[in-house]
Amino acid sequence: MNGSDAVPNPVAGPVAGPVAEIRGLVKEHGQGQGRVRAVDDVDLEVPRGQTLAVMGPSGCGKSTLLHLLGGLERPTRGEVWLAGRRVDTLSERALARLRRRSVGFVFQAFHLMEELTAAENVELPVLLAGRSPREARRRASLLLERVGLAARARHLPSRLSGGQRQRVAIARALANEPPIVLADEPTGNLDTAATLDVLRIFEDLRTAGQTLVIVTHDERVAATADRLVSMRDGMFVDDTRLTGSSSRGLGGLIEWES
Amino acid sequence: MGSFVLVVRLVLADVRRHRAQAAMLLLAVTVATATMALGLSLRGVSEALYEQTRAATAGPDVVALSGDTGPAVTSALASLADDPEVIAHHGPYRIVYADLTTHGSGRSPAVASGVVVHGFAETPGTVNRPLVTSGGWVRPGGAVVERGFAEALGIGVGDRVTIAGRSYLVVGIAVTAATSIYPWAAQIGPYGGPSDSSGLVWLTRSDARTLAGRDLPVTTAMDLKLRDPAAAEAFVEAFSDAHRDPAARVNLHTWQFMATQDTVILRNSQPILVVGSWLLGFLAVTGVAALAAGRAVEQTRRAGLLKAVGATPGLIATVLVTEYLALALVGDAVGLAIARLTVPGIASPTASRIGDAAGPGGATVAAATVLAVTVAVLSTLRPALRAMRTATVTALAAAAHQPRHRPLLTALSALLPTPLLLGLRLTARRPGRAVLQACSTATTVIATVALLTVYSQKERGYGLNGSSVLPNLRGELDRRLMLAVTILLIALAVVNTVTLTWTTAMEARANMAVARTLGATPGQIAAGLSAAQVLPALLGAMAGVPLGIGVCGLFSARNTIMPPVSWMLAAALVTLLVTAAFTALPARLAARRPVARALSAEAA
């Protein structure tokens, strides 16, 4: 990845203290005897610039945690703070506006709009934020160049490989310079080469000070983070700081995979 | 047998799973076939009622009318009676043209109308024996009022009426086939002048003679029974050729002529109903096609499952088509039954004829069934063929049809506010559905323009000098039918709009969920879904106005008064606003679906 100078630093902003914080968070699904506690009384702070990996077996509540952080689901109990604002009490409208400015999502299934080109997909959040089409085009062009897809800007998602699609999704997540990017199994559908491409981008983002929360099954991905939280049955069972290891981890991984 | 049972079980299972869709198909087909059957059933119904009345009243084959009363006329009429083709006659008798006023009561106010008084013997002869349906026959000082006229006046046996200043007791109500139905008793015909709105009253010969002495217009008439009733037209031609005496002008009206005159009252009803049924049929196809398109992915997967367990493509097509066909045929049967029950109420706007209006005949049943089958086949052909042709593995993993990239619309939408941006892009995803919405709206506007046109006509009432104290029955019937057809069209269009909005929302739920994660508010999503319907509806409404004018022009008389353009534009605007209102609820419901669940479902 190169050419990131033209895009403002995503951490630049008024946020003081942790970018994301959750306190006593509980999320239950279902009712009566079928009630399941997906997230069970967890607390978490994500400081600015940190890359946090959340690992755990399927169904342990990782994705739910991410959805709660991004305001896509509402907690049963507890508080969610994002970019200095408490979000669990916000209306749907206010949440949407907050997401526009403060959160970028990356999904395992990419979730690109199939009828839009790569550039048009990246332009969309900029347009939704009320910026001009010209500004949207400019930002899409810069971000696609940053993820190495400038030559494929006019391609439809169906003509891109899985790794390329995920890179478009990452560019889209960064379109409005959010203080935090939430990635849900971003490499889950990718082969090794594409996984490395995505990890390189994440590494660049980490270096640039972008806050990242990555939910993953993949230990290789987790090894690139600053901090690793393990979940089981909706609870945090381990919280490890991988201080100073991430760059080496990624470098080592790249060397190992090569 | 095994296959048959399997098909039935699969069809029943699918209908149970999609009850609302089944109900909608049933409703759409019922409405369309009922309207068509009703319209087609009106063909020949007036003639049938005339025939039954003629048989019950010894109706004449020819009625001879003369505007004079002198000896030359008497001689001419006598020569008619002596004609070898004439086997019986009634008359000559006097016809007096006067005014009639009812006395009114608490329930019905006093009304005045033109009246045609026939002077009859107190004992009816063998030809033209009016059938008394209530009370008795004429006696001195007692009048018998023709049933259609009595019903319009709101009078019955025992009431009093004033004819040319003299009061008469109504002693009976009767019907006859010797004159046209109310209000055309004057025999001038519905195309005549202002005097053509009058009813018929019978008095005794002496009372009629007394009335004639009051300086009122008088004519003479005679009813003839021919050896060969079918040759009445030839008889009239032969007589007209042989008698060209200007001093004794005699006009002959055949029974066929009078039967044809009866149909005039339904002249506009049939096109209203038949054209209405075309439009309703079109909306039925539109709605059911939208439903079928919305279920395409699910149906393809179902076909894949059936193939995986050994079903042949033929069996799959049979299951898919049978479901819609069976529902359409049930709708057809219900529609025909409704038409059968409704025909009598529409076929005879006046009470001047007796008998039963026959229900839908064989040709009508066939036409309505063809319409129902067409709706079913047009709606399911594409999904059935796709399900048959798709390979089993592909069908099992069936995804929604990939929308095409439309760069121009995408670029254009980027300039618009978020709801319009989303709406235009949703429209561009499924242009076929947008066309259906536009056509549905255009159809509604066409019907509304036709309704406004019908209501713009200046209707002369049947009271004296065109007073509307006695309403114009033909105009009222036209208005009622047009209103009913328009309401049905609007109801189907509303159902279509809701269906199209919901299927659009369901197909685009993943994209809308993504838009939510990118910061679109639920309100913007809901507005976008509404806009996706309203944008094509706008085009439909704009096209509907000139199309409505064109359709009205095709089926209207030259002197038809068109409604002001401002009314038509207002109708188009209201249609658009109503469309927007009806898209709001499904759009709002769809926009509030949980984002995380939609994304997870799409990823699964």
Side-chain angles (χ1 to χ4, degrees):
Chain A
M1 188 170 76
N2 53 33
S4 60
D5 298 346
V7 180
N9 187 337
V11 292
V15 182
V19 175
E21 185 178 2
I22 53 181
R23 296 175 193 160
L25 198 68
V26 173
K27 177 64 183 178
E28 292 173 341
H29 295 299
Q31 288 181 335
Q33 294 207 336
R35 180 173 293 184
V36 176
R37 187 166 278 200
V39 175
D40 191 358
D41 195 18
V42 299
D43 298 285
L44 180 72
E45 275 189 18
V46 185
R48 275 188 298 163
Q50 186 174 75
T51 297
L52 169 70
V54 182
M55 284 194 78
S58 292
C60 72
K62 310 185 296 290
S63 294
T64 305
L65 179 73
L66 205 73
H67 292 158
L68 291 165
L69 260 178
L72 296 181
E73 285 189 69
R74 287 182 185 279
T76 308
R77 276 200 306 277
E79 296 175 10
V80 180
W81 293 76
L82 200 63
R85 283 184 75 182
R86 184 170 174 184
V87 300
D88 56 280
T89 54
L90 292 178
S91 68
E92 282 297 319
R93 184 187 170 91
L95 266 178
R97 289 184 168 173
L98 184 86
R99 278 199 295 270
R100 238 180 248 172
R101 293 188 307 271
S102 305
V103 188
F105 283 99
V106 179
F107 300 101
Q108 178 180 0
F110 322 128
H111 289 313
L112 298 176
M113 297 200 181
E114 294 296 320
E115 70 274 25
L116 300 183
T117 62
E120 287 164 349
N121 266 290
V122 181
E123 286 170 18
L124 186 58
V126 187
L127 293 171
L128 288 173
R131 296 186 189 165
S132 70
R134 177 178 291 182
E135 171 66 7
R137 278 196 298 275
R138 190 185 71 80
R139 287 203 58 76
S141 170
L142 288 172
L143 285 164
L144 285 173
E145 193 179 335
R146 191 171 168 187
V147 298
L149 288 174
R152 307 218 175 242
R154 295 195 173 280
H155 286 210
L156 289 172
S158 56
R159 294 186 57 205
L160 299 176
S161 68
Q164 288 169 336
R165 287 190 212 186
Q166 195 59 295
R167 282 191 273 160
V168 174
I170 292 169
R172 183 180 66 181
L174 296 171
N176 284 328
E177 305 167 38
I180 187 165
V181 170
L182 306 176
D184 189 1
E185 302 281 7
T187 58
N189 277 350
L190 305 182
D191 59 20
T192 301
T195 298
L196 288 176
D197 286 341
V198 168
L199 290 179
R200 279 193 192 101
I201 295 171
F202 282 162
E203 174 59 17
D204 281 356
L205 289 175
R206 196 189 69 81
T207 308
Q210 173 70 57
T211 310
L212 275 168
V213 177
I214 306 171
V215 162
T216 182
H217 267 108
D218 192 336
E219 289 182 5
R220 297 172 302 175
V221 177
T224 66
D226 300 319
R227 179 182 169 196
L228 172 64
V229 170
S230 299
M231 277 188 86
R232 189 176 296 272
D233 298 331
M235 291 183 280
F236 292 161
V237 293
D238 193 21
D239 188 345
T240 310
R241 298 202 176 267
L242 308 170
T243 314
S245 66
S246 58
S247 298
R248 288 194 303 276
L250 178 62
L253 175 66
I254 294 167
E255 284 167 18
W256 183 72
E257 293 292 351
S258 301
Chain B
M1 186 63 189
S3 294
F4 176 76
V5 173
L6 179 63
V7 168
V8 170
R9 287 181 62 181
L10 288 169
V11 166
L12 286 177
D14 206 43
V15 169
R16 270 199 294 270
R17 279 178 60 213
H18 301 100
R19 284 180 190 165
Q21 293 176 4
M24 192 200 141
L25 173 61
L26 208 61
L27 172 79
V29 172
T30 299
V31 166
T33 53
T35 313
M36 173 177 263
L38 203 52
L40 295 179
S41 297
L42 292 184
R43 191 177 292 162
V45 74
S46 298
E47 292 91 330
L49 291 175
Y50 177 81
E51 277 289 355
Q52 292 173 70
T53 309
R54 185 164 172 261
T57 60
D61 298 326
V62 172
V63 175
L65 286 160
S66 175
D68 300 313
T69 52
V73 170
T74 310
S75 163
L77 293 176
S79 71
L80 263 176
D82 293 337
D83 192 290
E85 286 299 315
V86 176
I87 55 170
H89 71 278
H90 164 246
Y93 56 92
R94 210 174 254 103
I95 298 179
V96 186
Y97 301 83
D99 294 345
L100 175 148
T101 310
T102 64
H103 291 189
S105 66
R107 281 182 298 122
S108 47
V111 292
S113 166
V115 66
V116 177
V117 177
H118 286 195
F120 265 47
E122 289 175 50
T123 306
T126 54
V127 181
N128 189 4
R129 299 167 58 91
L131 177 73
V132 176
T133 58
S134 174
W137 187 234
V138 291
R139 62 173 189 254
V144 172
V145 183
E146 191 275 323
R147 192 167 70 163
F149 191 31
E151 193 163 280
L153 293 171
I155 59 172
V157 174
D159 288 332
R160 297 199 76 87
V161 293
T162 300
I163 300 173
R166 185 176 170 185
S167 178
Y168 296 88
L169 177 69
V170 176
V171 295
I173 307 293
V175 294
T176 178
T179 64
S180 295
I181 54 172
Y182 172 77
W184 300 317
Q187 301 283 54
I188 297 168
Y191 302 107
S195 62
D196 62 0
S197 300
S198 50
L200 172 62
V201 165
W202 290 274
L203 294 178
T204 60
R205 281 177 177 165
S206 61
D207 281 347
R209 191 184 313 121
T210 308
L211 201 62
R214 298 184 176 208
D215 201 21
L216 292 169
V218 179
T219 59
T220 311
M222 188 161 73
D223 305 317
L224 307 173
K225 200 79 185 166
L226 302 183
R227 193 177 308 281
D228 179 8
E233 300 283 358
F235 175 82
V236 169
E237 275 180 31
F239 176 81
S240 301
D241 290 343
H243 298 83
R244 295 184 180 277
D245 181 2
R249 278 201 194 125
V250 177
N251 294 319
L252 300 183
H253 291 170
T254 63
W255 66 271
Q256 293 99 329
F257 170 77
M258 281 183 279
T260 306
Q261 289 288 83
D262 278 13
T263 64
V264 171
I265 203 153
L266 298 178
R267 191 176 51 183
N268 297 333
S269 305
Q270 208 182 0
I272 287 173
L273 289 170
V274 173
V275 176
S277 74
W278 297 345
L279 297 177
L280 285 165
F282 175 74
L283 284 190
V285 171
T286 305
V288 180
L291 272 179
R295 288 176 57 186
V297 173
E298 184 203 342
Q299 280 184 333
T300 307
R301 275 195 196 128
R302 192 163 176 251
L305 276 172
L306 290 171
K307 280 183 181 175
V309 296
T312 61
L315 180 76
I316 289 162
T318 307
V319 170
L320 287 173
V321 174
T322 302
E323 179 182 338
Y324 280 72
L325 205 54
L327 287 168
L329 289 176
V330 171
D332 178 36
V334 177
L336 287 168
I338 291 172
R340 175 70 189 89
L341 295 171
T342 322
V343 162
I346 293 174
S348 188
T350 80
S352 296
R353 298 286 177 247
I354 58 165
D356 294 324
T364 302
V365 171
T369 307
V370 165
L371 177 68
V373 170
T374 304
V375 169
V377 169
L378 283 181
S379 313
T380 55
L381 197 59
R382 206 172 148 203
L385 286 175
R386 187 169 46 220
M388 279 172 68
R389 287 174 181 166
T390 310
T392 307
V393 176
T394 315
L396 283 169
H401 169 66
Q402 285 295 341
R404 279 178 59 193
H405 178 227
R406 296 179 192 279
L408 194 65
L409 277 177
T410 304
L412 180 66
S413 66
L415 303 168
L416 302 172
T418 301
L420 287 176
L421 176 149
L422 296 172
L424 196 58
R425 289 185 179 188
L426 283 168
T427 305
R429 275 172 64 87
R430 292 282 182 266
R433 201 165 292 167
V435 170
L436 290 180
Q437 178 66 57
C439 291
S440 185
T441 310
T443 307
T444 312
V445 175
I446 289 170
T448 312
V449 168
L451 182 70
L452 289 174
T453 305
V454 168
Y455 273 82
S456 297
Q457 304 317 303
K458 287 179 182 164
E459 296 289 359
R460 287 178 54 82
Y462 293 159
L464 274 183
N465 302 318
S467 151
S468 56
V469 66
L470 289 174
N472 187 307
L473 293 176
R474 191 171 60 167
E476 271 210 339
L477 181 67
D478 293 349
R479 287 172 190 220
R480 278 209 314 267
L481 289 179
M482 195 63 231
L483 186 63
V485 167
T486 308
I487 287 171
L488 289 174
L489 281 165
I490 289 171
L492 271 194
V494 165
V495 172
N496 283 359
T497 297
V498 173
T499 306
L500 287 164
T501 309
W502 187 249
T503 51
T504 301
M506 288 303 97
E507 273 199 8
R509 59 182 178 267
N511 272 9
M512 292 300 103
V514 171
R516 291 276 307 277
T517 67
L518 299 178
T521 64
Q524 287 173 330
I525 298 287
L529 285 166
S530 282
Q533 310 310 317
V534 173
L535 290 172
L538 174 66
L539 297 176
M542 283 163 58
V545 172
L547 285 172
I549 294 170
V551 169
C552 289
L554 276 177
F555 294 96
S556 304
R558 279 186 186 173
N559 58 352
T560 299
I561 301 165
M562 289 307 290
V565 174
S566 58
W567 288 19
M568 294 190 271
L569 292 177
L573 183 65
V574 169
T575 305
L576 209 56
L577 292 175
V578 171
T579 303
F582 276 101
T583 60
L585 182 64
R588 203 173 156 80
L589 285 175
R592 295 198 169 272
R593 289 165 75 90
V595 176
R597 199 181 302 164
L599 292 174
S600 303
E602 187 65 16

